[in-house]
Amino acid sequence: MISSASNLILATTAFAMLYTRFSGTGISLVKFVFLGLGVTLILSIRDLWRVSTRMWGFLALLLCLPVLMFFGILTVWEGPLYVAATGVSPVEFRIDGAAGFYGLAIYSPEHRKAEWQGDEIGLVWSFDWHRHDKFPPMKVRFQYGILPTGFSQKTPLSNAAPPALDPEATYTVVVRPGMGLPEYFTLHINLLVKTENEFGPDVCWGAIPVAGQRGPAYVRVDCSTKKSLPMSQRAQERLKAYQEKRIVFY
């Protein structure tokens, strides 16, 4: 009974930490909760065989149910990732969270010139988790330009080193969890600030109809008037490809 109650307290503590900046510590406690659950089950079965302790064994098993629920929640967790940056040259990223870390992309200020959602203009470094037979890690430490274990670099190609970060520039950082939606940050030197979207508050999108397509194209618009902004040659070529159904979205 004591072991069951203690393990329940430990599981509650670990779960509460997953919602705070101490999520890394909470993740570390999970293995002890799992070990405690095994010990509790063994002791509870022993107590059930004895008439004098049968009631205590039954109560201990009941206290195991919230712990089992805790593990069930972790398998479908869509909680936040906690992202921090330290150092200057190079910047070191620290990512914690039971949602798991699936990948990261860093864009230069040029990304604010994106002309469609998903436009990768300004992308300087990106990588994704490639061990699809396993759940992505919940706790990662890595320096800018150094690929963490278990990930594959997408940009630059051939695992070339990304360009050095300009200390005068503000970058966009997109962090992809294993479960849930991407999270967006701005990075200036080593100051990481969470933002609402990938492109910034002064970048707005509007739908325009496209002949031959059932769905509209979402293009850059003036945030005040909602009128479409002039499109570059590459944006016009992409819009034409969408109209001719050579690509599935714009």
Side-chain angles (χ1 to χ4, degrees), residues 208-231:
I208 60 171
V210 178
Q213 284 283 12
R214 296 180 61 184
Y218 289 89
V219 300
R220 288 283 297 269
V221 298
D222 183 285
C223 291
S224 300
T225 64
K226 305 304 179 183
K227 293 183 178 180
S228 301
L229 296 175
M231 302 175 69

Side-chain angles (χ1 to χ4, degrees), residues 1-18:
M1 179 66 180
I2 295 177
S3 64
S4 182
S6 300
N7 199 46
L8 179 58
I9 293 173
L10 182 62
T12 303
T13 302
F15 189 75
M17 284 184 170
L18 295 178

Side-chain angles (χ1 to χ4, degrees), residues 194-244:
K194 193 167 185 179
T195 61
E196 292 298 323
N197 60 67
E198 180 178 340
F199 304 99
D202 57 343
V203 177
C204 298
W205 304 95
I208 60 171
V210 178
Q213 284 283 12
R214 296 180 61 184
Y218 289 89
V219 300
R220 288 283 297 269
V221 298
D222 183 285
C223 291
S224 300
T225 64
K226 305 304 179 183
K227 293 183 178 180
S228 301
L229 296 175
M231 302 175 69
S232 69
Q233 182 64 36
R234 71 187 191 98
Q236 292 176 27
E237 290 175 355
R238 183 178 176 86
L239 185 60
K240 182 179 179 182
Y242 178 62
Q243 183 178 2
E244 296 173 351

Side-chain angles (χ1 to χ4, degrees), residues 74-85:
L74 287 184
T75 63
V76 293
W77 179 265
E78 293 188 11
L81 289 179
Y82 293 90
V83 186

